[in-house]
Coordinates of all heavy atoms in Angstrom, one line a residue:
M206 N 51.9 14.2 -12.5 CA 51.1 15.3 -12.0 C 51.9 16.6 -11.9 O 51.5 17.7 -12.2 CB 50.4 14.9 -10.7 CG 49.6 16.0 -10.1 SD 47.9 15.8 -10.4 CE 47.2 16.9 -9.3
T207 N 53.1 16.5 -11.3 CA 53.9 17.7 -11.1 C 54.4 18.3 -12.5 O 54.7 19.5 -12.5 CB 55.2 17.4 -10.3 OG1 55.9 16.4 -10.9 CG2 54.8 17.0 -8.9
R208 N 54.4 17.5 -13.5 CA 54.8 18.0 -14.8 C 53.8 19.1 -15.3 O 54.2 20.1 -15.9 CB 54.9 16.9 -15.9 CG 56.1 16.1 -15.8 CD 56.2 15.2 -16.9 NE 55.4 14.0 -16.5 CZ 54.9 13.1 -17.3 NH1 55.1 13.1 -18.5 NH2 54.2 12.1 -16.8
W209 N 52.5 18.9 -15.0 CA 51.5 19.9 -15.4 C 51.6 21.2 -14.6 O 51.2 22.2 -15.1 CB 50.1 19.3 -15.2 CG 50.0 18.1 -16.1 CD1 49.8 16.8 -15.8 CD2 49.9 18.1 -17.6 NE1 49.8 16.0 -16.9 CE2 49.8 16.8 -18.0 CE3 50.0 19.1 -18.5 CZ2 49.8 16.4 -19.3 CZ3 50.0 18.7 -19.9 CH2 49.9 17.4 -20.2
F210 N 52.1 21.1 -13.4 CA 52.3 22.3 -12.6 C 53.5 23.1 -13.1 O 53.4 24.3 -13.1 CB 52.6 21.9 -11.1 CG 52.9 23.0 -10.2 CD1 51.9 23.9 -9.9 CD2 54.2 23.3 -9.8 CE1 52.1 25.0 -9.0 CE2 54.4 24.4 -9.0 CZ 53.4 25.2 -8.6
V211 N 54.5 22.5 -13.6 CA 55.7 23.2 -14.1 C 55.5 23.8 -15.5 O 56.0 24.8 -15.8 CB 56.9 22.3 -14.1 CG1 58.1 22.9 -14.8 CG2 57.2 21.8 -12.7
L212 N 54.7 23.1 -16.3 CA 54.4 23.6 -17.7 C 54.0 25.0 -17.8 O 54.6 25.7 -18.6 CB 53.4 22.6 -18.3 CG 53.4 22.6 -19.8 CD1 54.8 22.3 -20.4 CD2 52.4 21.6 -20.3
P213 N 53.1 25.5 -17.0 CA 52.7 27.0 -17.1 C 53.8 27.9 -16.7 O 53.9 29.1 -17.2 CB 51.5 27.1 -16.2 CG 51.0 25.8 -15.9 CD 52.1 24.8 -16.1
L214 N 54.8 27.4 -16.0 CA 55.9 28.3 -15.5 C 57.0 28.3 -16.6 O 57.9 29.2 -16.5 CB 56.5 27.8 -14.2 CG 55.5 27.8 -13.0 CD1 56.2 27.2 -11.8 CD2 55.1 29.2 -12.7
L215 N 57.0 27.4 -17.6 CA 58.0 27.4 -18.6 C 58.3 28.7 -19.3 O 59.4 29.1 -19.4 CB 57.7 26.2 -19.6 CG 58.8 25.9 -20.6 CD1 60.1 25.5 -19.8 CD2 58.4 24.8 -21.5
P216 N 57.3 29.4 -19.7 CA 57.5 30.7 -20.4 C 58.3 31.7 -19.5 O 59.2 32.4 -19.9 CB 56.1 31.2 -20.7 CG 55.3 30.0 -20.8 CD 55.9 29.1 -19.8
L217 N 57.9 31.7 -18.2 CA 58.6 32.6 -17.2 C 60.1 32.2 -17.1 O 61.0 33.1 -17.0 CB 58.0 32.6 -15.9 CG 56.6 33.2 -15.8 CD1 56.0 32.9 -14.4 CD2 56.6 34.6 -16.2
L218 N 60.4 30.9 -17.1 CA 61.8 30.5 -17.0 C 62.5 30.9 -18.2 O 63.7 31.3 -18.2 CB 61.8 29.0 -16.8 CG 61.3 28.5 -15.4 CD1 61.2 27.0 -15.4 CD2 62.2 29.0 -14.3
L219 N 61.9 30.7 -19.4 CA 62.6 31.1 -20.6 C 62.9 32.6 -20.7 O 63.9 33.1 -21.1 CB 61.8 30.7 -21.8 CG 61.7 29.2 -22.0 CD1 60.7 28.8 -23.2 CD2 63.0 28.5 -22.3
I220 N 61.9 33.4 -20.2 CA 62.1 34.9 -20.2 C 63.3 35.2 -19.3 O 64.1 36.0 -19.6 CB 60.8 35.6 -19.8 CG1 59.8 35.5 -20.9 CG2 61.1 37.1 -19.5 CD1 58.4 35.9 -20.5
A221 N 63.3 34.6 -18.1 CA 64.4 34.8 -17.1 C 65.7 34.5 -17.7 O 66.7 35.2 -17.4 CB 64.1 34.0 -15.9
C222 N 65.8 33.5 -18.6 CA 67.1 33.2 -19.2 C 67.6 34.3 -20.1 O 68.8 34.4 -20.4 CB 67.0 31.9 -19.9 SG 66.8 30.4 -18.8
E223 N 66.7 35.0 -20.7 CA 67.0 36.1 -21.6 C 67.4 37.4 -20.9 O 67.9 38.3 -21.5 CB 65.8 36.3 -22.6 CG 65.5 35.2 -23.4 CD 66.7 34.8 -24.3 OE1 67.4 35.7 -24.9 OE2 67.0 33.6 -24.5
L224 N 67.0 37.6 -19.6 CA 67.3 38.8 -18.9 C 68.8 38.9 -18.7 O 69.5 37.9 -18.5 CB 66.6 38.8 -17.6 CG 65.1 38.9 -17.6 CD1 64.5 38.8 -16.2 CD2 64.6 40.1 -18.3
P225 N 69.4 40.2 -18.8 CA 70.8 40.3 -18.5 C 71.1 39.9 -17.1 O 70.4 40.2 -16.2 CB 71.1 41.8 -18.7 CG 69.7 42.5 -18.8 CD 68.7 41.4 -19.1
Q226 N 72.2 39.2 -16.9 CA 72.6 38.8 -15.6 C 73.4 39.9 -14.9 O 74.2 40.6 -15.5 CB 73.5 37.5 -15.7 CG 72.8 36.4 -16.3 CD 71.6 35.9 -15.5 OE1 71.7 35.7 -14.3 NE2 70.5 35.7 -16.2
Q227 N 73.1 40.1 -13.6 CA 73.8 41.1 -12.8 C 75.2 40.5 -12.4 O 75.2 39.3 -12.0 CB 73.1 41.5 -11.6 CG 72.1 42.5 -11.8 CD 71.6 43.1 -10.4 OE1 71.5 42.4 -9.4 NE2 71.3 44.3 -10.4
S228 N 76.2 41.2 -12.6 CA 77.5 40.7 -12.3 C 77.8 41.1 -10.8 O 77.5 42.3 -10.4 CB 78.6 41.3 -13.2 OG 79.8 41.0 -12.8
S229 N 78.5 40.3 -10.1 CA 78.9 40.6 -8.8 C 80.3 41.2 -8.8 O 80.9 41.6 -7.8 CB 78.9 39.4 -7.9 OG 79.8 38.4 -8.4
H230 N 80.8 41.4 -10.0 CA 82.1 41.9 -10.2 C 82.0 43.3 -10.9 O 81.7 43.3 -12.1 CB 83.0 41.0 -11.0 CG 84.4 41.5 -11.3 ND1 85.3 41.6 -10.3 CD2 84.9 42.0 -12.4 CE1 86.4 42.1 -10.9 NE2 86.2 42.3 -12.1
T231 N 82.3 44.3 -10.2 CA 82.2 45.7 -10.8 C 83.6 46.0 -11.3 O 84.6 45.8 -10.7 CB 81.9 46.7 -9.7 OG1 80.7 46.3 -9.1 CG2 81.8 48.1 -10.2
V232 N 83.6 46.5 -12.6 CA 84.8 46.9 -13.2 C 85.1 48.4 -12.7 O 84.3 49.3 -13.0 CB 84.8 46.9 -14.7 CG1 86.1 47.4 -15.3 CG2 84.5 45.4 -15.2
L233 N 86.1 48.6 -12.0 CA 86.4 49.9 -11.4 C 87.4 50.6 -12.3 O 88.3 50.1 -12.9 CB 87.1 49.7 -10.0 CG 86.2 49.1 -8.9 CD1 87.0 48.8 -7.7 CD2 85.0 49.9 -8.6
P234 N 87.1 52.0 -12.5 CA 88.1 52.8 -13.2 C 89.5 52.8 -12.6 O 89.5 52.7 -11.3 CB 87.5 54.1 -13.3 CG 86.4 54.2 -12.2 CD 86.1 52.7 -11.9
A235 N 90.5 52.8 -13.4 CA 91.9 52.8 -12.8 C 92.0 51.7 -11.9 O 92.5 51.8 -10.7 CB 92.2 54.2 -12.2
S236 N 91.7 50.5 -12.3 CA 91.6 49.3 -11.5 C 92.9 48.9 -10.8 O 92.8 48.2 -9.8 CB 91.0 48.1 -12.2 OG 91.9 47.8 -13.3
D237 N 94.0 49.4 -11.3 CA 95.3 49.1 -10.6 C 95.7 50.1 -9.6 O 96.7 50.0 -8.9 CB 96.4 48.9 -11.6 CG 96.2 47.7 -12.5 OD1 95.6 46.7 -12.0 OD2 96.7 47.7 -13.6
S238 N 94.9 51.2 -9.5 CA 95.2 52.3 -8.5 C 95.0 51.8 -7.1 O 94.3 50.9 -6.8 CB 94.4 53.5 -8.8 OG 93.0 53.3 -8.5
K239 N 95.7 52.6 -6.2 CA 95.5 52.3 -4.8 C 94.0 52.4 -4.3 O 93.5 51.6 -3.5 CB 96.4 53.2 -3.9 CG 96.4 53.0 -2.5 CD 97.0 51.6 -2.1 CE 97.0 51.5 -0.6 NZ 97.4 50.1 -0.2
G240 N 93.3 53.4 -4.8 CA 91.9 53.6 -4.5 C 91.1 52.4 -4.9 O 90.2 52.0 -4.1
A241 N 91.3 51.9 -6.1 CA 90.5 50.8 -6.6 C 90.8 49.6 -5.7 O 89.9 48.8 -5.4 CB 90.8 50.5 -8.0
Q242 N 92.1 49.4 -5.4 CA 92.5 48.2 -4.6 C 91.8 48.3 -3.2 O 91.4 47.3 -2.6 CB 94.0 48.2 -4.4 CG 94.7 48.0 -5.7 CD 94.3 46.7 -6.4 OE1 94.2 45.6 -5.8 NE2 94.0 46.8 -7.7
L243 N 91.7 49.5 -2.6 CA 91.1 49.7 -1.3 C 89.6 49.4 -1.4 O 89.0 48.8 -0.5 CB 91.3 51.1 -0.8 CG 92.7 51.4 -0.3 CD1 92.9 52.9 -0.1 CD2 93.1 50.6 0.9
M244 N 89.0 49.8 -2.6 CA 87.5 49.4 -2.8 C 87.4 47.9 -2.7 O 86.5 47.4 -2.1 CB 87.1 50.0 -4.1 CG 86.9 51.5 -4.2 SD 85.4 52.1 -3.6 CE 84.2 51.5 -4.8
K245 N 88.2 47.2 -3.5 CA 88.1 45.8 -3.5 C 88.4 45.2 -2.2 O 87.7 44.2 -1.8 CB 89.1 45.2 -4.5 CG 88.8 45.6 -6.0 CD 89.9 45.2 -6.9 CE 89.8 45.8 -8.3 NZ 90.9 45.6 -9.1
K246 N 89.3 45.7 -1.5 CA 89.7 45.1 -0.1 C 88.6 45.3 0.9 O 88.2 44.4 1.6 CB 91.0 45.9 0.4 CG 91.4 45.4 1.7 CD 92.7 46.2 2.2 CE 93.1 45.9 3.6 NZ 94.3 46.7 4.0
Y247 N 88.0 46.5 1.0 CA 87.1 46.8 2.1 C 85.6 46.5 1.7 O 84.9 46.0 2.5 CB 87.3 48.2 2.6 CG 88.5 48.4 3.4 CD1 89.6 49.1 2.9 CD2 88.7 47.7 4.6 CE1 90.8 49.3 3.6 CE2 89.9 47.9 5.3 CZ 90.9 48.6 4.8 OH 92.1 48.8 5.5
C248 N 85.2 47.0 0.5 CA 83.8 46.9 0.1 C 83.4 45.4 0.0 O 82.2 45.1 0.3 CB 83.5 47.6 -1.2 SG 83.8 49.4 -1.0
S249 N 84.3 44.6 -0.5 CA 83.9 43.2 -0.8 C 83.7 42.4 0.4 O 83.3 41.2 0.3 CB 84.9 42.6 -1.7 OG 86.2 42.6 -1.1
D250 N 84.0 42.9 1.6 CA 83.7 42.2 2.8 C 82.2 41.9 3.0 O 81.8 40.9 3.5 CB 84.2 42.9 4.1 CG 85.7 42.8 4.3 OD1 86.3 41.9 3.7 OD2 86.2 43.7 5.1
C251 N 81.4 42.9 2.5 CA 79.9 42.8 2.6 C 79.2 42.7 1.3 O 78.1 42.1 1.2 CB 79.4 44.0 3.4 SG 80.0 44.1 5.0
H252 N 79.7 43.3 0.2 CA 79.0 43.4 -1.1 C 80.1 43.7 -2.2 O 81.2 44.0 -1.9 CB 78.0 44.5 -1.0 CG 78.5 45.8 -0.6 ND1 79.2 46.7 -1.4 CD2 78.5 46.5 0.6 CE1 79.5 47.8 -0.8 NE2 79.1 47.7 0.5
A253 N 79.6 43.6 -3.4 CA 80.5 44.0 -4.5 C 80.8 45.4 -4.4 O 80.0 46.2 -4.1 CB 79.8 43.6 -5.8
P254 N 82.0 45.8 -4.8 CA 82.4 47.2 -4.7 C 81.5 48.0 -5.7 O 81.3 47.6 -6.9 CB 83.8 47.3 -5.2 CG 84.3 45.9 -5.0 CD 83.2 45.0 -5.1
P255 N 80.9 49.1 -5.3 CA 80.0 49.9 -6.2 C 80.9 50.7 -7.1 O 82.1 51.0 -6.9 CB 79.3 50.8 -5.2 CG 80.2 51.0 -4.1 CD 80.9 49.7 -3.9
S256 N 80.3 51.1 -8.2 CA 81.0 52.0 -9.1 C 81.2 53.4 -8.4 O 80.2 53.9 -7.7 CB 80.1 52.2 -10.4 OG 80.6 53.3 -11.1
P257 N 82.3 54.0 -8.6 CA 82.5 55.4 -8.0 C 81.4 56.3 -8.6 O 81.1 57.3 -7.9 CB 83.9 55.8 -8.5 CG 84.6 54.5 -8.7 CD 83.5 53.5 -9.2
A258 N 80.9 56.1 -9.7 CA 79.8 56.9 -10.3 C 78.5 56.7 -9.7 O 77.5 57.3 -10.1 CB 79.8 56.7 -11.8
A259 N 78.4 55.8 -8.7 CA 77.1 55.6 -8.0 C 76.7 56.8 -7.2 O 75.5 56.9 -6.8 CB 77.2 54.4 -7.1
H260 N 77.7 57.6 -6.8 CA 77.4 58.8 -6.0 C 78.2 60.0 -6.5 O 79.1 59.9 -7.2 CB 77.7 58.6 -4.5 CG 77.0 57.5 -3.9 ND1 75.7 57.6 -3.4 CD2 77.3 56.2 -3.6 CE1 75.2 56.5 -2.9 NE2 76.2 55.6 -3.0
T261 N 77.8 61.2 -6.0 CA 78.5 62.4 -6.3 C 79.7 62.5 -5.4 O 79.7 61.9 -4.3 CB 77.6 63.7 -6.2 OG1 77.3 63.8 -4.8 CG2 76.4 63.6 -7.1
A262 N 80.6 63.4 -5.7 CA 81.8 63.6 -4.8 C 81.3 64.1 -3.5 O 81.9 63.8 -2.5 CB 82.7 64.6 -5.5
K263 N 80.3 64.9 -3.5 CA 79.7 65.4 -2.2 C 79.1 64.3 -1.3 O 79.1 64.4 -0.1 CB 78.7 66.5 -2.5 CG 78.2 67.3 -1.3 CD 77.2 68.4 -1.7 CE 76.7 69.1 -0.5 NZ 75.8 70.2 -0.8
E264 N 78.5 63.3 -2.0 CA 77.9 62.2 -1.2 C 78.8 61.2 -0.7 O 78.5 60.6 0.4 CB 76.9 61.5 -2.2 CG 75.7 62.3 -2.6 CD 74.9 61.7 -3.7 OE1 75.4 60.9 -4.5 OE2 73.7 62.1 -3.8
W265 N 79.9 61.0 -1.3 CA 80.8 59.9 -0.9 C 81.3 59.9 0.5 O 81.4 58.9 1.2 CB 82.0 59.7 -1.9 CG 81.7 58.9 -3.0 CD1 81.6 59.2 -4.3 CD2 81.3 57.5 -3.0 NE1 81.3 58.2 -5.1 CE2 81.1 57.1 -4.3 CE3 81.2 56.5 -2.0 CZ2 80.7 55.8 -4.7 CZ3 80.8 55.2 -2.3 CH2 80.6 54.9 -3.6
P266 N 81.7 61.1 1.1 CA 82.1 61.1 2.5 C 81.1 60.5 3.5 O 81.4 59.7 4.4 CB 82.4 62.5 2.8 CG 82.8 63.1 1.5 CD 81.9 62.4 0.5
N267 N 79.8 60.8 3.3 CA 78.8 60.3 4.1 C 78.6 58.7 3.9 O 78.4 58.0 4.8 CB 77.4 61.0 3.9 CG 76.4 60.6 4.9 OD1 76.6 60.5 6.1 ND2 75.2 60.2 4.4
V268 N 78.7 58.3 2.7 CA 78.6 56.9 2.4 C 79.8 56.1 3.1 O 79.6 55.1 3.7 CB 78.7 56.6 0.8 CG1 78.8 55.1 0.6 CG2 77.5 57.2 0.2
I269 N 81.0 56.7 3.0 CA 82.1 56.0 3.7 C 81.9 56.0 5.2 O 82.2 55.0 5.8 CB 83.5 56.7 3.3 CG1 83.7 56.6 1.8 CG2 84.6 56.2 4.1 CD1 83.9 55.1 1.3
Y270 N 81.4 57.1 5.7 CA 81.1 57.2 7.2 C 80.2 56.0 7.6 O 80.4 55.3 8.5 CB 80.6 58.5 7.5 CG 80.1 58.6 9.0 CD1 81.0 58.8 10.0 CD2 78.8 58.4 9.3 CE1 80.6 58.9 11.3 CE2 78.4 58.5 10.6 CZ 79.3 58.7 11.6 OH 78.9 58.7 12.9
R271 N 79.1 55.9 6.8 CA 78.1 54.9 7.1 C 78.7 53.5 7.0 O 78.4 52.6 7.8 CB 76.9 55.0 6.2 CG 76.0 56.1 6.5 CD 74.6 56.1 5.7 NE 74.6 55.3 4.5 CZ 74.7 55.7 3.3 NH1 74.9 57.0 3.1 NH2 74.6 54.9 2.2
M272 N 79.5 53.2 6.0 CA 80.1 51.9 5.8 C 81.1 51.6 6.9 O 81.2 50.5 7.4 CB 80.8 51.8 4.4 CG 79.8 51.9 3.2 SD 78.5 50.6 3.3 CE 77.1 51.6 3.7
Q273 N 81.8 52.7 7.3 CA 82.8 52.5 8.4 C 82.0 52.1 9.7 O 82.5 51.3 10.5 CB 83.5 53.8 8.6 CG 84.7 53.7 9.6 CD 85.9 53.1 9.1 OE1 85.9 52.1 8.4 NE2 87.1 53.8 9.3
E274 N 80.8 52.7 9.9 CA 80.0 52.4 11.1 C 79.6 50.9 11.0 O 79.5 50.2 12.0 CB 78.8 53.3 11.2 CG 79.2 54.7 11.7 CD 80.0 54.7 13.0 OE1 79.5 54.1 14.0 OE2 81.1 55.3 13.0
R275 N 79.2 50.5 9.9 CA 78.8 49.1 9.7 C 79.9 48.2 10.0 O 79.8 47.1 10.5 CB 78.2 48.9 8.3 CG 76.8 49.5 8.2 CD 76.2 49.1 6.9 NE 74.9 49.8 6.9 CZ 74.2 50.1 5.8 NH1 74.7 49.8 4.6 NH2 73.1 50.7 5.8
R276 N 81.1 48.5 9.5 CA 82.3 47.7 9.7 C 82.6 47.6 11.3 O 82.9 46.6 11.8 CB 83.5 48.3 9.0 CG 83.4 48.3 7.5 CD 84.7 48.8 6.9 NE 85.8 47.8 7.0 CZ 85.8 46.6 6.3 NH1 85.0 46.4 5.4 NH2 86.8 45.8 6.6
R277 N 82.4 48.7 11.9 CA 82.6 48.8 13.4 C 81.5 47.8 14.1 O 81.9 47.0 14.9 CB 82.4 50.2 13.9 CG 82.6 50.3 15.4 CD 82.6 51.8 15.9 NE 83.8 52.5 15.5 CZ 83.9 53.4 14.6 NH1 82.9 53.8 13.9 NH2 85.1 54.0 14.3
M278 N 80.3 47.9 13.7 CA 79.2 47.0 14.3 C 79.5 45.5 14.0 O 79.2 44.7 14.9 CB 77.9 47.4 13.7 CG 77.3 48.7 14.2 SD 75.6 49.0 13.7 CE 75.6 48.9 12.0
K279 N 80.1 45.2 12.9 CA 80.4 43.8 12.5 C 81.7 43.4 13.0 O 82.1 42.3 12.7 CB 80.2 43.6 11.0 CG 78.8 43.8 10.5 CD 78.7 43.5 9.1 CE 77.3 43.6 8.6 NZ 77.1 43.0 7.3
A280 N 82.4 44.3 13.7 CA 83.8 44.0 14.2 C 84.8 43.7 13.1 O 85.7 42.9 13.2 CB 83.8 42.9 15.2
Y281 N 84.6 44.3 11.9 CA 85.5 44.2 10.8 C 86.7 45.2 11.0 O 86.5 46.2 11.8 CB 84.9 44.5 9.5 CG 83.9 43.5 9.0 CD1 83.0 43.8 8.0 CD2 83.8 42.2 9.5 CE1 82.1 42.9 7.5 CE2 82.9 41.3 9.0 CZ 82.0 41.6 8.0 OH 81.1 40.7 7.5
T282 N 87.8 45.0 10.4 CA 88.9 45.9 10.4 C 88.4 47.2 9.9 O 87.8 47.3 8.8 CB 90.1 45.4 9.5 OG1 90.4 44.1 10.0 CG2 91.2 46.3 9.6
L283 N 88.7 48.3 10.6 CA 88.3 49.6 10.2 C 89.3 50.2 9.2 O 90.5 49.8 9.2 CB 88.2 50.6 11.4 CG 87.1 50.2 12.4 CD1 87.1 51.2 13.5 CD2 85.7 50.1 11.7
I284 N 88.8 51.1 8.3 CA 89.7 51.7 7.4 C 90.5 52.8 8.1 O 89.8 53.7 8.7 CB 88.8 52.4 6.2 CG1 88.0 51.3 5.6 CG2 89.7 53.1 5.2 CD1 86.9 51.9 4.6
D285 N 91.8 52.8 8.0 CA 92.5 53.8 8.8 C 92.5 55.1 8.0 O 92.0 55.2 6.9 CB 94.0 53.4 9.0 CG 94.8 53.3 7.8 OD1 94.7 54.1 6.9 OD2 95.7 52.4 7.7
E286 N 92.9 56.2 8.7 CA 92.7 57.6 8.2 C 93.4 57.7 6.8 O 92.9 58.4 5.9 CB 93.3 58.6 9.2 CG 92.4 58.8 10.4 CD 93.0 59.8 11.4 OE1 93.6 60.7 10.9 OE2 92.7 59.7 12.6
N287 N 94.6 57.2 6.7 CA 95.4 57.4 5.4 C 94.6 56.7 4.3 O 94.5 57.2 3.2 CB 96.8 56.8 5.6 CG 97.6 57.0 4.4 OD1 97.7 58.1 3.8 ND2 98.3 56.0 3.9
E288 N 94.2 55.4 4.5 CA 93.5 54.7 3.5 C 92.1 55.3 3.2 O 91.7 55.4 2.0 CB 93.3 53.2 4.0 CG 94.5 52.4 3.9 CD 94.3 51.0 4.4 OE1 93.4 50.8 5.3 OE2 94.9 50.1 3.8
E289 N 91.5 55.9 4.2 CA 90.2 56.6 4.0 C 90.4 57.8 3.1 O 89.6 58.0 2.2 CB 89.6 57.0 5.3 CG 88.2 57.5 5.1 CD 87.5 57.8 6.5 OE1 87.9 57.3 7.5 OE2 86.5 58.6 6.4
R290 N 91.5 58.5 3.3 CA 91.8 59.7 2.5 C 92.0 59.3 1.0 O 91.5 59.9 0.1 CB 92.9 60.5 3.0 CG 93.2 61.8 2.3 CD 94.3 62.6 3.0 NE 95.6 61.9 3.0 CZ 96.2 61.3 4.1 NH1 95.6 61.4 5.3 NH2 97.3 60.7 4.0
L291 N 92.8 58.2 0.9 CA 93.1 57.7 -0.5 C 91.8 57.2 -1.2 O 91.6 57.5 -2.4 CB 94.1 56.6 -0.4 CG 95.6 56.9 -0.1 CD1 96.4 55.7 0.2 CD2 96.2 57.7 -1.2
L292 N 91.0 56.5 -0.4 CA 89.8 56.0 -1.0 C 88.8 57.1 -1.4 O 88.3 57.1 -2.5 CB 89.1 55.1 0.1 CG 87.8 54.4 -0.3 CD1 88.0 53.5 -1.5 CD2 87.3 53.5 0.9
L293 N 88.7 58.1 -0.5 CA 87.8 59.3 -0.9 C 88.4 60.0 -2.1 O 87.6 60.5 -2.9 CB 87.6 60.2 0.3 CG 86.6 59.7 1.3 CD1 86.7 60.6 2.6 CD2 85.2 59.7 0.7
D294 N 89.7 60.2 -2.2 CA 90.2 60.9 -3.3 C 89.9 60.1 -4.6 O 89.5 60.7 -5.6 CB 91.8 61.0 -3.2 CG 92.2 62.0 -2.2 OD1 91.3 62.8 -1.7 OD2 93.4 62.0 -1.8
Y295 N 90.0 58.8 -4.6 CA 89.7 58.0 -5.7 C 88.2 58.1 -6.1 O 87.9 58.3 -7.2 CB 90.0 56.5 -5.4 CG 89.5 55.5 -6.4 CD1 90.2 55.3 -7.6 CD2 88.4 54.8 -6.2 CE1 89.7 54.4 -8.6 CE2 87.9 53.9 -7.1 CZ 88.5 53.7 -8.3 OH 88.1 52.8 -9.2
L296 N 87.3 58.0 -5.1 CA 85.9 58.0 -5.3 C 85.5 59.4 -5.9 O 84.7 59.5 -6.8 CB 85.1 57.7 -4.0 CG 85.2 56.3 -3.5 CD1 84.7 56.1 -2.1 CD2 84.5 55.3 -4.5
K297 N 86.0 60.4 -5.3 CA 85.7 61.8 -5.8 C 86.2 62.0 -7.2 O 85.5 62.7 -8.0 CB 86.3 62.8 -4.9 CG 85.6 62.9 -3.5 CD 86.2 63.9 -2.6 CE 85.5 64.0 -1.3 NZ 86.1 65.0 -0.4
E298 N 87.3 61.4 -7.6 CA 87.9 61.6 -8.9 C 86.9 61.0 -10.0 O 86.8 61.5 -11.1 CB 89.3 61.0 -9.0 CG 89.9 61.1 -10.4 CD 91.3 60.4 -10.5 OE1 91.8 60.0 -9.4 OE2 91.8 60.4 -11.6
F299 N 86.3 59.9 -9.6 CA 85.5 59.1 -10.6 C 84.0 59.2 -10.3 O 83.2 58.4 -10.8 CB 86.0 57.7 -10.7 CG 87.4 57.5 -11.2 CD1 88.4 57.3 -10.4 CD2 87.6 57.7 -12.6 CE1 89.7 57.1 -10.9 CE2 88.9 57.6 -13.1 CZ 90.0 57.3 -12.2
A300 N 83.6 60.1 -9.4 CA 82.2 60.2 -8.9 C 81.3 60.8 -10.0 O 81.8 61.3 -11.0 CB 82.2 61.2 -7.7
K301 N 80.0 60.5 -9.8 CA 79.0 61.1 -10.7 C 79.1 62.6 -10.7 O 79.3 63.2 -9.6 CB 77.7 60.5 -10.2 CG 76.5 61.1 -11.0 CD 75.2 60.4 -10.6 CE 74.9 60.4 -9.1 NZ 73.6 59.8 -8.7
S302 N 78.9 63.2 -11.8 CA 78.9 64.7 -11.9 C 77.7 65.3 -11.4 O 76.6 64.8 -11.5 CB 79.1 65.1 -13.4 OG 80.3 64.6 -13.8

């Protein structure tokens, strides 16, 4: 009996297999740079590091501020001032135009 229930869902399953899979691994520009390493170190505590092109250079400081507040609420290690400056420089260099 359960076979008949699954049969109508088969086309949906086949379509889902054809959809591109989202990667949890973002390829960061200049991946060996200090900024990219900081992205991997801090962002991956909660989610995959976003592409620097996800925001404009003007938007990134606010994004970092919000993420720092979330780190504080979760009692994660905060990004120190020097690392935050390096991270923002990296994000602004590769930000969306």
Side-chain angles (χ1 to χ4, degrees):
M206 176 102 168
T207 57
R208 282 185 277 163
W209 297 111
F210 177 73
V211 174
L212 201 55
L214 297 177
L215 188 59
L217 293 175
L218 293 172
L219 293 174
I220 291 170
C222 289
E223 296 298 318
L224 295 174
Q226 299 296 313
Q227 276 193 327
S228 172
S229 63
H230 178 72
T231 302
V232 177
L233 297 171
S236 61
D237 291 333
S238 69
K239 183 66 175 170
Q242 296 304 313
L243 290 170
M244 290 278 290
K245 293 172 193 171
K246 176 181 176 181
Y247 289 111
C248 299
S249 62
D250 283 343
C251 299
H252 53 79
S256 167
H260 297 284
T261 65
K263 187 177 178 180
E264 294 169 335
W265 273 117
N267 188 47
V268 173
I269 295 300
Y270 174 81
R271 287 192 337 262
M272 295 303 106
Q273 187 81 313
E274 288 303 308
R275 288 188 180 153
R276 295 187 71 77
R277 183 176 283 108
M278 287 188 303
K279 293 183 176 196
Y281 289 165
T282 303
L283 297 179
I284 305 169
D285 69 38
E286 287 181 29
N287 184 49
E288 288 180 323
E289 186 175 342
R290 187 175 60 254
L291 290 169
L292 182 57
L293 279 172
D294 288 346
Y295 169 79
L296 291 168
K297 287 177 180 181
E298 180 179 354
F299 296 104
K301 174 172 56 175
S302 300

